[in-house]
Amino acid sequence: MSGEYNIFSRIRDILDGNADAERQRKAGMQGQIDRADHIFQFCLLLFGLGFWIVMILKMFL
């Protein structure tokens, strides 16, 4: 029964135009997600480089 409700609800949303608004909202958030992903990758790279620099210095000193 819940599967039928989801199908009818989805059809009603498409007819009302709510599905398009949801799709546009998700597309608008994608830029923020990409930005957060780049910041995370930069921090991970910075941590990795710092780790190896400390290990190299520790080996020679």
Side-chain angles (χ1 to χ4, degrees):
M1 184 74 180
S2 63
E4 293 175 10
Y5 176 74
N6 288 337
I7 292 171
F8 290 133
S9 175
R10 181 80 173 141
I11 291 171
R12 189 174 348 151
D13 287 344
I14 290 171
L15 292 176
D16 292 341
N18 294 337
D20 293 334
E22 183 71 20
R23 190 174 298 119
Q24 289 174 353
R25 184 183 67 81
K26 287 182 181 178
M29 289 176 48
Q30 189 62 41
Q32 294 175 347
I33 293 170
D34 290 340
R35 184 171 155 217
D37 187 46
H38 290 294
I39 291 170
F40 174 74
Q41 288 178 357
F42 175 75
C43 292
L44 192 62
L45 177 68
L46 193 63
F47 175 77
L49 288 175
F51 173 78
W52 285 110
I53 289 171
V54 167
M55 295 309 272
I56 290 170
L57 289 175
K58 194 173 187 179
M59 185 172 42
F60 289 120
L61 295 178

